[in-house]
Amino acid sequence: MGLLWKLLLLQSFIGCLTESSTPGRLVFVKQPGSIVFPMHSTESSQEVTFSCEAQGDPPPSYRWKLNDTFVVPRLGSRYSFSGGNLRISHLSKEEDVGVYQCLASNSFGTILSREASLHIAYLENFKTQKRSPVRVREGQGVVLLCGPPPHMGDLTFSWIFNAYPSFVKQDTRRFVSQKTGNLYIAKVEPSDVGNYTCVVTNMVTKSSGQGPPTPLVLRSDGIMGEYEPKIEVQFPEVTPVAKGQTVKLECFALGNPAPSISWRRVAEGSFSMKVDMNRASSVLEIPYFQQEDAGVYECVAENARGKNAVKGKLTYYAPPHLTEKPQDLQRPIDETVVWECKANGKPKPSYRWLKNGEPLEPMENKVQVVNGALTISTLTPSDAAMYQCVAENRHGRVFTNAELRVIAVAPDFSASAVRLQTLARQGGDVLIECRPRMSPRGMISWRRGKEALRESHRVAVLDNGSLRISNVTKLDAGLYTCVARNQYGMASSAGTLVVKEPTIITTKAAQLDVTVGESIVLPCQVSHDPSLDVKFTWFFNELMIQFGSHGGYFEKVGGQSAGDIMIRNIQLRHAGKYTCAVQTKVDSSSIAIDVVVRGSPGPPTDLQVDKVTETTSSISWRSGPDNHSPILSYIIQSRTSFSLGWQAANTVPKLLGSGQLSAVVTELNPWVEYEFRVLATNAIGTGEPSKPSKKIRTKDTLPRVAPTRVSGGGGSRSELVITWEPVPEELQCGPGFGYVVAFRPHGERDWMQAAVTSPDASKYSFRDDSIPPFTPYHVKVGVYNNKGEGPFGPVTTIYSAEEEPSEAPPRVRAKSLSASEVEVSWKALPWNTTKRRIMGYELRYWGQSETQEMASVVRTTGDRTYAVLRELDGSHTYLIDVRAYNSAGVGPPSAAVNITTKKPPPSQPPTKVMWNASNSKIILQWDHVKALENESEVMGYRVMYKQNRQAQPSVVETNRTSLELSLPVDEDYVVQIKPVSEGGEGRSSRQITIPRAAGAQVVGAAWRTPAFPTLLLTLALAHTARTLL
């Protein structure tokens, strides 16, 4: 009987053992959704359909539940199935309303769909009985009740005043509640008298109904006096609101005068931007409600007689939302399954599990559910099923599915055979894995060759069935077979063990010393089994070296059988531990080499500055790393805002040895901010500097440096102007720096003094009407600061201001030299007894059609009495005047003279230049240049010639159109010809190169025409003439 059970079990599960034939899981692709059906009494056929579709292999069958009771369709029943869909005909609001669920089943189990509700929306008629009149006094508040008829589905309310379509308009005095439908009038006025009819509309069926009218009548016993607000429309003390829902709070009060309504959020301050207050603030609307919107809200009604308030709390809730779902599992018999199921929600969801659509009850030592996690221990075939986790709170529930398949199978090596060949190192350990697929777990044994393998201190079969051999020898090589058995059968798999020679690194571990900038080779030599490939990998401080990166410092130089590497231009950062790792298919080994890099010292640290005086400061520091080379000396550098970078500082002692960690810096400038840094030097070189010290300022003292380059003179009448070079800020020795200017006339004993308070000043002017012009003074300039006065500079003689010239130069003449030049001359003015110096003369000239304000100016210096005006326009009339000047200004102008420049020189160059060269002379000939009507006539020609190697040309003038030059023609000559007129030089001919004659006659010509510039060469005696155009 036991064997038969095992065979049946094996047969029933053999179809799901191989991955290639695993059937598709059972899963919903369509689930039913809730329905609100509008019921219309006029329709004879009213039906709904709930959708349900699942996929699986084999295809599923379907069942339905209504309020946890199975729906059984019968012949003629209102219920029918179409696939997985449920169709309900001739709906009945008494029988069909409720919660529906779909169940899908196949041979692997059953799953339950989400819940879907059916509601039938309707609206019945109002009762037709007449309503009694409502009698109120003027000024009194009133509530007119709507009393809606029986219904299902959301309603909206409005009120008709007297007759359709006159609807009541809501404002601060009138309000229609969409919760109760009642009409509230805060303060009745005579215009409110009339009939009021409540109108209700079903938002689902779109049907409407009107109640009987309610008459509103004013009482005749007087007018209602003022009274404080009475809140009639209130919201609940606690209102739960779902996440994402829109919530509306209503608040309205009766009172005289009509109260105003305001809202506030208790303890939270202002509302968020999304909150809307409408209908004269009687409704507070919060769309898309979130957890941060929860809290206490208060409505305040207020008028002249007082105020009243109500509060209500909005609480946040959210139906469950799954965050972790169980996955389908296949597990062997006797194993344990743990499924996690987690969901978010408020309040916190609870969990329960279903098995094939039915509640799964906990069983001791078998089934446990803890915080949504399902644990099933010691699996059996009966545990195979469809499982569903249900997370729920009072606001909803969610379902998630997972399939459990329990595997029962005979041993199988098809997917995990023993490795055909396993390599092992002689003297090492080896593991031959045996991982057959079988359920339940059976027994595993090993054979070597054809003999059963016996375990020993070197040979052991592990709990998972793998074979481990320690201290392998050559004799262990051979064929090994793993044999697996359980109650469903037996299988085996074999592989060969091959033993190889061990890999040994022959290089010994060592420590290498190297200096920064050198290159070294790190050796890594090995002996290994010749049949195996060797792979070398290098590590630096346990990080793999990527050759080709790291700035190109590392390079492989070992070839195929060695792993040597070279480090080029080694740096301090390359010091550390280098590991050569050698690996074959069988084993691996490694060796470490420590590299010490010696370099210049690191930066000193902990720089301290103290004992600061006017010119000294004490510096102390700690030595930085010596980088494996002892420190020999230190250097102190200083920097100010006035210095060009860092400068070596003078110290006591002058030489700072390796043990000297403090010094006094001397020869500092008083009242200057200094920074200091220290550098260390060893046999390798000078290292990086320390971080700069904090800025310190030396103490102030009396100024020590007087201004330089004292000078002066000039200025306006009766003024003595004294100038000097300001003292640089770094030499001012303290705050409050300024200058003391002392001066006295020649021959006087007493000094006059003035203080100039600006340290940047470079000028002082003393004005006194009694100062004669151009009078010599002794002047000296000293310095001072808050500590007192410093030294004066040397005494210098300067002159007081002079008076500008009082006369115009006489006998001004102008002569046109050319089209662009005019020569102007005048008679010099003598110095007179009033000491009016003449420093030079100023010429002003302007065109006849221009004003004097547009005049150009040319100045001469000294007693020169002529000047040439250049760059003038040809055939143009100019006006010219001359005035004398000195340091006080310019004198009166002379009478203006006019002059007309000559016509411009010819604009055409000489053309058709011909030449004849022999050993001793050059003959030139060209066409006469004819001037245009507006140009000056040609008076002659200027011929310029030079040898190729000469810098400056020689010039010959002629009034003919030919010229003979007696020149030895032993080199090339360069010639140019210009026409000359009274308007100046005209345009030059092209540069002509005449080659040396070399004992024979050479003839050439060069000209150009406007349309076709060409070069014509006439050659004689088989020699070549070259013309450069």
Side-chain angles (χ1 to χ4, degrees), residues 793-843:
V795 176
T796 303
T797 298
I798 65 173
Y799 288 83
S800 63
E802 55 193 340
E803 294 179 342
E804 64 272 11
S806 60
E807 297 180 16
R811 296 175 61 184
V812 177
R813 302 287 185 269
K815 177 184 176 182
S816 177
L817 300 179
S818 68
S820 61
E821 295 179 335
V822 169
E823 182 182 79
V824 183
S825 62
W826 58 92
K827 184 177 180 181
L829 289 174
W831 285 25
N832 56 29
T833 56
T834 57
K835 298 187 177 179
R836 287 183 171 89
R837 271 195 313 167
I838 304 299
M839 296 177 64
Y841 296 89
E842 179 180 282
L843 290 78

Short mmCIF file of all heavy atoms in Angstrom, two decimals, residues 793-843:
data_model
loop_
_atom_site.label_atom_id
_atom_site.label_comp_id
_atom_site.label_asym_id
_atom_site.label_seq_id
_atom_site.Cartn_x
_atom_site.Cartn_y
_atom_site.Cartn_z
N GLY A 793 63.20 115.59 4.34
CA GLY A 793 64.07 115.32 3.21
C GLY A 793 65.02 116.49 2.98
O GLY A 793 64.98 117.52 3.67
N PRO A 794 65.93 116.40 2.02
CA PRO A 794 66.88 117.49 1.73
C PRO A 794 66.15 118.74 1.23
O PRO A 794 65.04 118.67 0.69
CB PRO A 794 67.78 116.88 0.65
CG PRO A 794 66.96 115.80 0.03
CD PRO A 794 66.11 115.25 1.12
N VAL A 795 66.82 119.90 1.43
CA VAL A 795 66.26 121.19 1.00
C VAL A 795 66.41 121.31 -0.51
O VAL A 795 67.47 121.02 -1.08
CB VAL A 795 66.95 122.35 1.73
CG1 VAL A 795 66.42 123.69 1.20
CG2 VAL A 795 66.74 122.24 3.23
N THR A 796 65.34 121.77 -1.15
CA THR A 796 65.29 121.94 -2.61
C THR A 796 64.83 123.35 -2.93
O THR A 796 64.03 123.94 -2.18
CB THR A 796 64.31 120.92 -3.23
OG1 THR A 796 64.71 119.61 -2.85
CG2 THR A 796 64.30 121.03 -4.75
N THR A 797 65.33 123.90 -4.03
CA THR A 797 64.90 125.23 -4.46
C THR A 797 63.85 125.09 -5.55
O THR A 797 64.07 124.36 -6.55
CB THR A 797 66.09 126.05 -4.96
OG1 THR A 797 67.03 126.23 -3.91
CG2 THR A 797 65.63 127.41 -5.48
N ILE A 798 62.72 125.78 -5.37
CA ILE A 798 61.70 125.83 -6.40
C ILE A 798 61.26 127.28 -6.56
O ILE A 798 61.58 128.14 -5.71
CB ILE A 798 60.49 124.93 -6.08
CG1 ILE A 798 59.79 125.45 -4.82
CG2 ILE A 798 60.90 123.48 -5.92
CD1 ILE A 798 58.50 124.71 -4.53
N TYR A 799 60.49 127.55 -7.60
CA TYR A 799 60.07 128.91 -7.88
C TYR A 799 58.56 129.03 -7.72
O TYR A 799 57.81 128.09 -8.03
CB TYR A 799 60.47 129.32 -9.29
CG TYR A 799 61.95 129.56 -9.45
CD1 TYR A 799 62.83 128.50 -9.68
CD2 TYR A 799 62.47 130.85 -9.37
CE1 TYR A 799 64.19 128.72 -9.80
CE2 TYR A 799 63.84 131.07 -9.50
CZ TYR A 799 64.69 130.01 -9.72
OH TYR A 799 66.04 130.22 -9.86
N SER A 800 58.17 130.24 -7.29
CA SER A 800 56.74 130.51 -7.21
C SER A 800 56.17 130.67 -8.61
O SER A 800 56.90 130.73 -9.60
CB SER A 800 56.49 131.79 -6.40
OG SER A 800 57.08 132.90 -7.07
N ALA A 801 54.84 130.71 -8.69
CA ALA A 801 54.17 130.76 -9.99
C ALA A 801 54.54 132.04 -10.72
O ALA A 801 54.74 133.09 -10.13
CB ALA A 801 52.66 130.69 -9.80
N GLU A 802 54.65 131.90 -12.02
CA GLU A 802 54.95 133.07 -12.83
C GLU A 802 53.66 133.57 -13.48
O GLU A 802 52.62 132.90 -13.43
CB GLU A 802 55.95 132.69 -13.92
CG GLU A 802 55.51 131.51 -14.77
CD GLU A 802 56.65 130.97 -15.61
OE1 GLU A 802 57.61 131.70 -15.82
OE2 GLU A 802 56.57 129.80 -16.05
N GLU A 803 53.75 134.76 -14.16
CA GLU A 803 52.60 135.30 -14.87
C GLU A 803 52.70 134.91 -16.34
O GLU A 803 53.80 134.77 -16.90
CB GLU A 803 52.56 136.82 -14.74
CG GLU A 803 52.30 137.30 -13.31
CD GLU A 803 52.27 138.82 -13.21
OE1 GLU A 803 52.79 139.48 -14.15
OE2 GLU A 803 51.75 139.33 -12.22
N GLU A 804 51.53 134.68 -16.97
CA GLU A 804 51.52 134.32 -18.37
C GLU A 804 52.05 135.50 -19.20
O GLU A 804 51.97 136.65 -18.78
CB GLU A 804 50.12 133.92 -18.83
CG GLU A 804 49.07 135.02 -18.77
CD GLU A 804 48.39 135.09 -17.41
OE1 GLU A 804 48.89 134.43 -16.46
OE2 GLU A 804 47.41 135.81 -17.29
N PRO A 805 52.58 135.21 -20.37
CA PRO A 805 53.09 136.29 -21.22
C PRO A 805 52.01 137.34 -21.51
O PRO A 805 50.83 137.01 -21.66
CB PRO A 805 53.52 135.57 -22.50
CG PRO A 805 53.79 134.16 -22.06
CD PRO A 805 52.83 133.88 -20.96
N SER A 806 52.44 138.62 -21.62
CA SER A 806 51.47 139.71 -21.79
C SER A 806 51.46 140.26 -23.20
O SER A 806 50.63 141.12 -23.53
CB SER A 806 51.79 140.84 -20.80
OG SER A 806 53.11 141.34 -21.05
N GLU A 807 52.37 139.80 -24.08
CA GLU A 807 52.45 140.34 -25.42
C GLU A 807 52.35 139.21 -26.44
O GLU A 807 52.72 138.06 -26.16
CB GLU A 807 53.75 141.11 -25.63
CG GLU A 807 53.91 142.33 -24.75
CD GLU A 807 55.23 143.05 -25.02
OE1 GLU A 807 55.83 142.76 -26.09
OE2 GLU A 807 55.65 143.84 -24.19
N ALA A 808 51.90 139.56 -27.63
CA ALA A 808 51.85 138.61 -28.73
C ALA A 808 53.15 138.68 -29.52
O ALA A 808 53.77 139.74 -29.63
CB ALA A 808 50.66 138.92 -29.63
N PRO A 809 53.59 137.56 -30.07
CA PRO A 809 54.80 137.58 -30.89
C PRO A 809 54.58 138.47 -32.12
O PRO A 809 53.52 138.40 -32.77
CB PRO A 809 55.00 136.12 -31.29
CG PRO A 809 54.21 135.33 -30.28
CD PRO A 809 53.07 136.19 -29.89
N PRO A 810 55.56 139.32 -32.50
CA PRO A 810 55.43 140.19 -33.69
C PRO A 810 55.96 139.50 -34.94
O PRO A 810 56.58 138.44 -34.88
CB PRO A 810 56.28 141.41 -33.31
CG PRO A 810 57.35 140.84 -32.42
CD PRO A 810 56.75 139.67 -31.68
N ARG A 811 55.72 140.15 -36.08
CA ARG A 811 56.29 139.78 -37.37
C ARG A 811 56.02 138.29 -37.70
O ARG A 811 56.93 137.53 -38.01
CB ARG A 811 57.79 140.07 -37.42
CG ARG A 811 58.07 141.58 -37.30
CD ARG A 811 59.56 141.84 -37.24
NE ARG A 811 60.24 141.37 -38.46
CZ ARG A 811 61.56 141.41 -38.63
NH1 ARG A 811 62.33 141.90 -37.67
NH2 ARG A 811 62.10 140.97 -39.74
N VAL A 812 54.74 137.89 -37.61
CA VAL A 812 54.36 136.51 -37.96
C VAL A 812 54.28 136.40 -39.47
O VAL A 812 53.60 137.21 -40.13
CB VAL A 812 53.02 136.13 -37.30
CG1 VAL A 812 52.60 134.72 -37.74
CG2 VAL A 812 53.14 136.23 -35.78
N ARG A 813 54.99 135.46 -40.06
CA ARG A 813 54.98 135.23 -41.50
C ARG A 813 54.66 133.75 -41.76
O ARG A 813 54.99 132.87 -40.98
CB ARG A 813 56.35 135.55 -42.10
CG ARG A 813 56.83 136.97 -41.87
CD ARG A 813 56.06 137.97 -42.74
NE ARG A 813 56.61 139.31 -42.61
CZ ARG A 813 56.19 140.21 -41.71
NH1 ARG A 813 55.21 139.88 -40.86
NH2 ARG A 813 56.74 141.41 -41.65
N ALA A 814 54.01 133.49 -42.94
CA ALA A 814 53.71 132.11 -43.34
C ALA A 814 54.14 131.90 -44.78
O ALA A 814 53.99 132.81 -45.62
CB ALA A 814 52.22 131.82 -43.18
N LYS A 815 54.68 130.73 -45.10
CA LYS A 815 55.16 130.42 -46.44
C LYS A 815 54.75 128.99 -46.77
O LYS A 815 55.01 128.06 -45.99
CB LYS A 815 56.68 130.55 -46.48
CG LYS A 815 57.30 130.16 -47.82
CD LYS A 815 58.82 130.23 -47.71
CE LYS A 815 59.48 129.77 -48.99
NZ LYS A 815 60.96 129.78 -48.89
N SER A 816 54.09 128.80 -47.93
CA SER A 816 53.67 127.47 -48.36
C SER A 816 54.87 126.73 -48.94
O SER A 816 55.50 127.22 -49.90
CB SER A 816 52.55 127.58 -49.40
OG SER A 816 52.20 126.29 -49.86
N LEU A 817 55.19 125.59 -48.41
CA LEU A 817 56.32 124.79 -48.90
C LEU A 817 55.88 123.77 -49.93
O LEU A 817 56.63 123.44 -50.85
CB LEU A 817 57.00 124.08 -47.73
CG LEU A 817 57.57 124.99 -46.63
CD1 LEU A 817 58.20 124.13 -45.53
CD2 LEU A 817 58.59 125.96 -47.21
N SER A 818 54.69 123.25 -49.75
CA SER A 818 54.17 122.22 -50.66
C SER A 818 52.67 122.17 -50.47
O SER A 818 52.09 123.03 -49.78
CB SER A 818 54.81 120.86 -50.37
OG SER A 818 54.38 120.38 -49.11
N ALA A 819 52.08 121.12 -51.06
CA ALA A 819 50.62 120.96 -50.92
C ALA A 819 50.23 120.58 -49.50
O ALA A 819 49.09 120.77 -49.10
CB ALA A 819 50.11 119.92 -51.90
N SER A 820 51.18 120.06 -48.71
CA SER A 820 50.84 119.59 -47.38
C SER A 820 51.64 120.27 -46.28
O SER A 820 51.46 119.93 -45.09
CB SER A 820 51.05 118.07 -47.27
OG SER A 820 52.41 117.76 -47.52
N GLU A 821 52.52 121.21 -46.58
CA GLU A 821 53.38 121.80 -45.57
C GLU A 821 53.40 123.33 -45.72
O GLU A 821 53.42 123.87 -46.83
CB GLU A 821 54.81 121.28 -45.69
CG GLU A 821 54.93 119.79 -45.41
CD GLU A 821 56.35 119.30 -45.56
OE1 GLU A 821 57.14 119.94 -46.32
OE2 GLU A 821 56.68 118.28 -44.96
N VAL A 822 53.39 124.02 -44.57
CA VAL A 822 53.49 125.48 -44.49
C VAL A 822 54.53 125.81 -43.43
O VAL A 822 54.50 125.24 -42.33
CB VAL A 822 52.14 126.12 -44.15
CG1 VAL A 822 52.31 127.60 -43.81
CG2 VAL A 822 51.17 125.96 -45.32
N GLU A 823 55.46 126.72 -43.73
CA GLU A 823 56.44 127.16 -42.73
C GLU A 823 55.98 128.49 -42.15
O GLU A 823 55.61 129.42 -42.87
CB GLU A 823 57.81 127.34 -43.38
CG GLU A 823 58.87 127.76 -42.37
CD GLU A 823 60.23 127.98 -43.03
OE1 GLU A 823 60.42 129.05 -43.66
OE2 GLU A 823 61.06 127.07 -42.94
N VAL A 824 55.94 128.56 -40.78
CA VAL A 824 55.52 129.76 -40.06
C VAL A 824 56.73 130.29 -39.28
O VAL A 824 57.42 129.50 -38.61
CB VAL A 824 54.34 129.45 -39.11
CG1 VAL A 824 53.88 130.74 -38.43
CG2 VAL A 824 53.20 128.80 -39.87
N SER A 825 56.96 131.63 -39.31
CA SER A 825 58.06 132.24 -38.56
C SER A 825 57.55 133.48 -37.83
O SER A 825 56.50 134.04 -38.18
CB SER A 825 59.21 132.61 -39.50
OG SER A 825 58.77 133.57 -40.45
N TRP A 826 58.30 133.89 -36.78
CA TRP A 826 57.91 135.05 -35.98
C TRP A 826 59.16 135.59 -35.27
O TRP A 826 60.22 134.92 -35.28
CB TRP A 826 56.83 134.69 -34.96
CG TRP A 826 57.26 133.59 -34.03
CD1 TRP A 826 57.85 133.72 -32.84
CD2 TRP A 826 57.15 132.19 -34.26
NE1 TRP A 826 58.12 132.52 -32.28
CE2 TRP A 826 57.69 131.54 -33.14
CE3 TRP A 826 56.65 131.41 -35.32
CZ2 TRP A 826 57.73 130.16 -33.02
CZ3 TRP A 826 56.68 130.04 -35.20
CH2 TRP A 826 57.22 129.42 -34.07
N LYS A 827 59.02 136.73 -34.64
CA LYS A 827 60.13 137.31 -33.88
C LYS A 827 59.95 136.96 -32.42
O LYS A 827 58.84 137.04 -31.88
CB LYS A 827 60.16 138.83 -34.05
CG LYS A 827 61.36 139.48 -33.36
CD LYS A 827 61.39 140.98 -33.61
CE LYS A 827 62.60 141.62 -32.93
NZ LYS A 827 62.63 143.10 -33.13
N ALA A 828 61.03 136.54 -31.72
CA ALA A 828 60.96 136.11 -30.32
C ALA A 828 60.64 137.29 -29.42
O ALA A 828 61.05 138.44 -29.68
CB ALA A 828 62.27 135.47 -29.90
N LEU A 829 59.94 137.00 -28.29
CA LEU A 829 59.65 138.00 -27.26
C LEU A 829 60.76 137.98 -26.22
O LEU A 829 61.18 136.90 -25.78
CB LEU A 829 58.31 137.70 -26.58
CG LEU A 829 57.04 137.93 -27.41
CD1 LEU A 829 55.83 137.45 -26.63
CD2 LEU A 829 56.89 139.40 -27.76
N PRO A 830 61.26 139.13 -25.79
CA PRO A 830 62.30 139.13 -24.74
C PRO A 830 61.68 138.95 -23.35
O PRO A 830 60.52 139.26 -23.13
CB PRO A 830 62.91 140.53 -24.89
CG PRO A 830 61.77 141.38 -25.39
CD PRO A 830 60.95 140.49 -26.29
N TRP A 831 62.47 138.39 -22.36
CA TRP A 831 62.02 138.36 -20.97
C TRP A 831 62.03 139.81 -20.48
O TRP A 831 62.92 140.59 -20.78
CB TRP A 831 62.98 137.53 -20.12
CG TRP A 831 62.81 136.05 -20.34
CD1 TRP A 831 62.32 135.44 -21.44
CD2 TRP A 831 63.15 135.05 -19.42
NE1 TRP A 831 62.32 134.10 -21.28
CE2 TRP A 831 62.84 133.81 -20.04
CE3 TRP A 831 63.70 135.05 -18.12
CZ2 TRP A 831 63.05 132.60 -19.40
CZ3 TRP A 831 63.91 133.85 -17.49
CH2 TRP A 831 63.58 132.64 -18.14
N ASN A 832 61.01 140.11 -19.65
CA ASN A 832 60.96 141.49 -19.14
C ASN A 832 61.20 141.50 -17.65
O ASN A 832 61.38 140.45 -17.01
CB ASN A 832 59.63 142.15 -19.52
CG ASN A 832 58.44 141.33 -19.02
OD1 ASN A 832 58.56 140.66 -18.03
ND2 ASN A 832 57.31 141.41 -19.71
N THR A 833 61.16 142.66 -17.06
CA THR A 833 61.48 142.81 -15.65
C THR A 833 60.43 142.23 -14.73
O THR A 833 60.67 142.06 -13.54
CB THR A 833 61.66 144.31 -15.34
OG1 THR A 833 60.46 145.01 -15.73
CG2 THR A 833 62.84 144.88 -16.11
N THR A 834 59.25 141.94 -15.23
CA THR A 834 58.20 141.36 -14.37
C THR A 834 58.32 139.85 -14.28
O THR A 834 57.45 139.19 -13.75
CB THR A 834 56.82 141.72 -14.93
OG1 THR A 834 56.73 141.25 -16.29
CG2 THR A 834 56.60 143.23 -14.91
N LYS A 835 59.41 139.30 -14.82
CA LYS A 835 59.70 137.87 -14.71
C LYS A 835 58.61 137.00 -15.35
O LYS A 835 58.13 136.05 -14.77
CB LYS A 835 59.91 137.45 -13.25
CG LYS A 835 61.08 138.14 -12.61
CD LYS A 835 61.37 137.59 -11.23
CE LYS A 835 62.60 138.24 -10.62
NZ LYS A 835 62.89 137.74 -9.28
N ARG A 836 58.26 137.42 -16.55
CA ARG A 836 57.35 136.58 -17.32
C ARG A 836 58.21 135.73 -18.26
O ARG A 836 58.70 136.22 -19.27
CB ARG A 836 56.37 137.44 -18.12
CG ARG A 836 55.29 138.10 -17.26
CD ARG A 836 54.33 138.88 -18.17
NE ARG A 836 53.17 139.35 -17.43
CZ ARG A 836 53.10 140.51 -16.80
NH1 ARG A 836 54.16 141.31 -16.81
NH2 ARG A 836 51.99 140.87 -16.17
N ARG A 837 58.40 134.47 -17.87
CA ARG A 837 59.23 133.59 -18.70
C ARG A 837 58.53 133.26 -20.00
O ARG A 837 57.31 133.19 -20.07
CB ARG A 837 59.48 132.27 -17.95
CG ARG A 837 60.68 132.25 -17.06
CD ARG A 837 61.02 130.82 -16.69
NE ARG A 837 59.85 130.05 -16.26
CZ ARG A 837 59.83 128.73 -16.11
NH1 ARG A 837 60.93 128.03 -16.38
NH2 ARG A 837 58.76 128.10 -15.72
N ILE A 838 59.32 132.98 -21.01
CA ILE A 838 58.82 132.43 -22.27
C ILE A 838 59.36 131.01 -22.39
O ILE A 838 60.57 130.81 -22.56
CB ILE A 838 59.24 133.28 -23.48
CG1 ILE A 838 58.80 134.73 -23.30
CG2 ILE A 838 58.66 132.68 -24.77
CD1 ILE A 838 57.32 134.92 -23.18
N MET A 839 58.44 130.01 -22.25
CA MET A 839 58.87 128.60 -22.35
C MET A 839 58.79 128.10 -23.79
O MET A 839 59.38 127.08 -24.12
CB MET A 839 58.00 127.72 -21.45
CG MET A 839 58.14 128.04 -19.97
SD MET A 839 57.04 127.06 -18.95
CE MET A 839 57.69 125.44 -19.25
N GLY A 840 58.05 128.81 -24.64
CA GLY A 840 57.90 128.39 -26.03
C GLY A 840 56.74 129.12 -26.66
O GLY A 840 56.19 130.07 -26.09
N TYR A 841 56.35 128.62 -27.86
CA TYR A 841 55.29 129.28 -28.60
C TYR A 841 54.26 128.26 -29.05
O TYR A 841 54.60 127.09 -29.35
CB TYR A 841 55.88 130.03 -29.80
CG TYR A 841 56.80 131.15 -29.39
CD1 TYR A 841 58.17 130.91 -29.20
CD2 TYR A 841 56.30 132.43 -29.15
CE1 TYR A 841 59.02 131.92 -28.79
CE2 TYR A 841 57.16 133.44 -28.74
CZ TYR A 841 58.51 133.19 -28.56
OH TYR A 841 59.35 134.18 -28.16
N GLU A 842 53.02 128.72 -29.12
CA GLU A 842 51.91 127.86 -29.51
C GLU A 842 51.29 128.39 -30.80
O GLU A 842 50.95 129.57 -30.90
CB GLU A 842 50.86 127.83 -28.40
CG GLU A 842 49.64 126.99 -28.71
CD GLU A 842 48.64 126.99 -27.59
OE1 GLU A 842 48.88 126.26 -26.60
OE2 GLU A 842 47.64 127.73 -27.68
N LEU A 843 51.20 127.54 -31.82
CA LEU A 843 50.61 127.90 -33.10
C LEU A 843 49.23 127.25 -33.21
O LEU A 843 49.08 126.04 -32.92
CB LEU A 843 51.47 127.41 -34.27
CG LEU A 843 52.82 128.11 -34.50
CD1 LEU A 843 53.87 127.62 -33.50
CD2 LEU A 843 53.29 127.86 -35.93
#
